[in-house]
Amino acid sequence: MSRYIILCRIFCYHTLTMNEKDFLKLQNGSDIRGIALEGVDGEYVNLTAEVCRKIGAAFAVRLCKKTGKKAEELIIGVGRDSRLSGQSLEHYLVEGLRSKNADVVLCSLATTPAMFMGTVFEQTHFDGSVMITASHLPFNRNGFKFFDKDGGLEHDDITEILKEAATQNPSGKTNIENECGSFDLMELYSSHLRNAIINGLKFKSEKPLANLKIAVDAGNGAGGFFAEKVLKKLGADISGSCFLEPDGNFPNHIPNPENKTAMESIKSAVLKSNSDLGLIFDTDVDRMSAVLSDGTEVNRDAIIAMTAAILAPNYPHSTIVTDSVTSDRLTFFLEKILGLKHLRYMRGYKNVINKCRELNEKGIISPLAMETSGHGALKENYYLDDGAFLAVKLVIALANAKYDGKNIESLIEKLPPLVEEDELRFKINTDDFKSYGESVLKEFKARAQKAGFELPNSYEGVRISFKDGDAQGWMLLRMSLHDPVMPLNIEGARKGDVEKLKKIAYSLVSGFDKLDISCLNRS
């Protein structure tokens, strides 16, 4: 499909006049996300040409304030994932940046972590960068992630940019082809990852991965480079890999390590090709999960456990920060098997990463912050949630284990297996859903205390542990980060425990007139 057909599909159907309130609706935590393409009933384009220009101009204004530089002194990198709307959003965002006279370097198809590294590499030295992506969301969505030299922008920074965007009125007369530079950032970034692998190995070889077969599933996102430019160049056999070609239609499966179909895809690829390891990335490669040679899925708690096990020898007695829905099984593994500390914090990858950074600033060593979603950030890697760098760690561990005549399966063999789990989502039927949700949590906790249940410390929602008795496991009731929903996560230690825990949950959440627990009634 030509660039200009896409431009028409995006920007010719609807013209929106957006005020500040409308702009703020585009905020999704520390990102901007919206609808970029027609094609889904009831969803109308709000990332229009005008909106993208204004956001670009606003980011330039924000960087001027942050750096103290004049706009014409700024160097800003822009990259995109494989989405159909990527080139078009890039075009109009850049027009907004250029309206402030900032120098723009086009990085074309890239990954989110690579765009941050563009602010680090001496060869690029961007003052700031923008990644055009909407992660694993449907084909018609897109958005922007922003970086400066301190890392990814925070929630409040995005609010500031969107408020500023509402005041901007940039022209759209930029000749992008003549006014912007270009740089093959992914080649530089790939070299950086190859060097990280070489430096982490116990042995030296011109082709150090020559005795390994590693399958990569990029889900037609931006992650195919890892197979071709990192693994293959170091000698690995990548013949079991699949869906490496960028395709914004995502014709094979959602590029999302949390998606069951996606995990089945990489599992099948590993088993059919008899690979030593399988790696799967999300669309913009800030998340990853893995599959072992026997088909065992290493995602959610297991990918955190494996990464922690790899890091543990170099960071004894350190603290691993995770999100709130990680299991008691993981706590047992981290603390009793690895001798580490487990801090179960809040959901939201920025929350987890910022807590890890805060601990280190206080002198409490924390090498890893990781969500069950596959977002994982290492202290040694700029606290950057980089799926490819996490994959590098697994590849190093695999190569070193094979050199020693071992396998990486042994790293997590003492992690208790998942037996049963479920997530129920209770809708809150009131506009003031946040305060109502808080009142539900308060009563839920009071009922649990009255029943004599164990309530471990929880930074988010109310968690209950059941270690003895007829039902064993845990449950967590919390507020959704953005939606009028209260998720209830339940994990049972034995077959049948989830159903028993649901009955307990029903007694704790029944009677709230604006809380829809019908999904629990039906279970």
Side-chain angles (χ1 to χ4, degrees):
M1 183 180 296
S2 76
R3 177 171 182 163
Y4 296 100
I5 291 175
I6 294 174
L7 287 179
C8 290
R9 283 182 62 184
I10 296 175
F11 299 111
C12 294
Y13 286 112
H14 292 278
T15 302
L16 298 178
T17 301
M18 304 251 299
N19 57 30
E20 181 179 292
K21 184 178 180 180
D22 295 321
F23 271 93
L24 290 174
K25 289 178 181 178
L26 296 173
Q27 180 158 8
N28 182 69
S30 54
D31 304 338
I32 290 173
R33 289 183 182 174
I35 301 166
L37 286 175
E38 298 284 341
V40 177
D41 288 344
E43 296 190 1
Y44 301 102
V45 171
N46 54 12
L47 285 179
T48 64
E50 178 187 12
V51 166
C52 294
R53 289 191 193 105
K54 290 186 174 188
I55 289 172
F59 182 54
V61 170
R62 194 260 175 198
L63 276 180
C64 288
K65 293 178 181 177
K66 176 70 181 289
T67 64
K69 293 183 176 182
K70 296 179 181 178
E72 57 266 27
E73 298 173 323
L74 295 174
I75 302 175
I76 302 173
V78 178
R80 49 182 164 77
D81 68 18
S82 59
R83 289 175 177 277
L84 298 173
S85 57
Q87 283 185 286
S88 301
L89 266 65
E90 173 190 76
H91 181 100
Y92 292 108
L93 178 85
V94 169
E95 286 191 334
L97 294 169
R98 288 293 301 143
S99 74
K100 299 297 182 183
N101 296 316
D103 280 341
V104 176
V105 178
L106 299 177
C107 302
S108 300
L109 187 71
T111 70
T112 293
M115 292 312 302
F116 166 72
M117 291 303 296
T119 70
V120 175
F121 294 139
E122 291 184 4
Q123 297 93 323
T124 48
H125 212 58
F126 300 150
D127 294 292
S129 60
V130 188
M131 177 66 180
I132 302 170
T133 181
S135 188
H136 61 280
L137 293 182
F139 79 95
N140 66 322
R141 306 296 182 94
N142 216 328
F144 305 106
K145 293 184 178 181
F146 300 90
F147 297 93
D148 60 28
K149 292 181 183 295
D150 292 329
L153 300 196
E154 301 288 343
H155 178 279
D156 291 350
D157 299 319
I158 301 303
T159 301
E160 177 188 332
I161 287 172
L162 289 170
K163 287 182 176 180
E164 179 66 38
T167 72
Q168 293 294 314
N169 189 29
S171 66
K173 299 180 180 180
T174 301
N175 188 329
I176 291 176
E177 287 74 14
N178 294 332
E179 295 184 23
C180 297
S182 63
F183 188 81
D184 190 350
L185 181 62
M186 291 309 297
E187 184 56 49
L188 178 60
Y189 176 66
S190 297
S191 175
H192 162 71
L193 295 178
R194 294 195 300 269
N195 288 334
I197 291 174
I198 291 169
N199 292 335
L201 296 176
K202 295 180 177 180
F203 57 93
K204 300 301 176 186
S205 170
E206 189 172 320
K207 295 288 185 180
L209 305 184
N211 64 338
L212 295 178
K213 192 170 189 178
I214 303 174
V216 174
D217 185 334
N220 303 112
F225 83 97
F226 193 81
E228 298 286 351
K229 294 188 176 184
V230 179
L231 299 176
K232 187 176 181 179
K233 286 198 172 185
L234 293 179
D237 180 346
I238 62 167
S239 60
S241 298
C242 55
F243 315 137
L244 303 182
E245 307 80 13
D247 184 342
N249 291 297
F250 308 129
N252 295 291
H253 63 73
I254 298 170
N256 181 8
E258 287 190 289
N259 179 265
K260 290 182 179 179
T261 302
M263 289 305 297
E264 281 296 324
S265 172
I266 184 59
K267 178 179 177 178
S268 175
V270 168
L271 294 176
K272 285 181 180 178
S273 64
N274 197 29
S275 292
D276 298 295
L277 180 69
L279 301 168
I280 184 167
F281 301 108
D282 72 338
T283 317
D284 60 325
V285 199
D286 58 1
R287 294 189 292 132
M288 66 82 63
S289 289
V291 171
L292 301 179
S293 60
D294 64 355
T296 299
E297 296 182 4
V298 186
N299 58 351
R300 298 181 63 78
D301 287 337
I303 190 63
I304 300 172
M306 178 161 281
T307 307
I310 291 169
L311 296 173
N314 294 326
Y315 299 94
H317 313 298
S318 59
T319 299
I320 306 300
V321 183
T322 72
D323 59 343
S324 62
V325 297
T326 46
S327 71
D328 291 349
R329 298 177 299 109
L330 180 63
T331 302
F332 168 82
F333 179 77
L334 295 177
E335 298 188 349
K336 303 301 182 183
I337 304 301
L338 298 182
L340 305 174
K341 298 180 181 66
H342 183 196
L343 194 160
R344 192 186 288 112
Y345 197 52
M346 301 168 62
R347 293 218 81 181
Y349 72 95
K350 290 294 287 185
N351 291 329
V352 175
I353 291 171
N354 288 343
K355 190 63 176 180
C356 178
R357 188 192 295 267
E358 176 191 318
L359 292 178
N360 283 297
E361 289 172 352
K362 291 179 178 179
I364 301 169
I365 301 301
S366 177
L368 173 67
M370 197 163 188
E371 274 197 316
T372 50
S373 66
H375 274 292
L378 300 177
K379 174 179 179 288
E380 67 183 75
N381 189 44
Y382 307 95
Y383 298 101
L384 176 64
D385 50 322
D386 185 343
F389 198 83
L390 287 174
V392 161
K393 287 294 187 182
L394 265 66
V395 170
I396 293 171
L398 175 65
N400 284 337
K402 198 149 191 175
Y403 180 77
D404 291 336
K406 301 177 182 178
N407 59 57
I408 61 171
E409 284 85 342
S410 62
L411 287 171
I412 57 171
E413 63 184 359
K414 294 184 179 179
L415 173 69
L418 171 65
V419 180
E420 290 184 333
E421 67 174 348
D422 201 355
E423 180 179 272
L424 304 168
R425 298 175 68 83
F426 307 144
K427 186 176 180 181
I428 303 175
N429 297 309
T430 178
D431 292 337
D432 190 16
F433 62 88
K434 289 186 178 180
S435 62
Y436 189 83
E438 289 301 322
S439 68
V440 171
L441 287 173
K442 184 177 180 180
E443 179 61 22
F444 180 84
K445 183 175 182 179
R447 293 177 182 181
Q449 288 173 328
K450 185 176 181 180
F453 297 142
E454 180 183 341
L455 298 172
N457 181 50
S458 180
Y459 288 90
E460 180 177 45
V462 179
R463 190 182 184 99
I464 309 176
S465 289
F466 303 87
K467 296 179 180 177
D468 302 300
D470 187 46
Q472 295 180 22
W474 59 271
M475 69 175 68
L476 172 70
L477 181 68
R478 59 187 172 84
M479 286 290 299
S480 169
L481 292 177
H482 309 294
D483 302 318
V485 171
M486 299 191 76
L488 175 69
N489 293 88
I490 301 177
E491 183 174 321
R494 304 164 305 185
K495 286 288 185 182
D497 276 339
V498 164
E499 288 305 315
K500 294 175 182 177
L501 291 173
K502 284 181 179 179
K503 292 179 180 178
I504 295 174
Y506 182 81
S507 69
L508 298 176
V509 296
S510 61
F512 297 100
D513 61 343
K514 294 181 175 60
L515 188 68
D516 182 359
I517 61 170
S518 56
C519 58
L520 184 58
N521 294 336
R522 292 193 298 268
S523 63

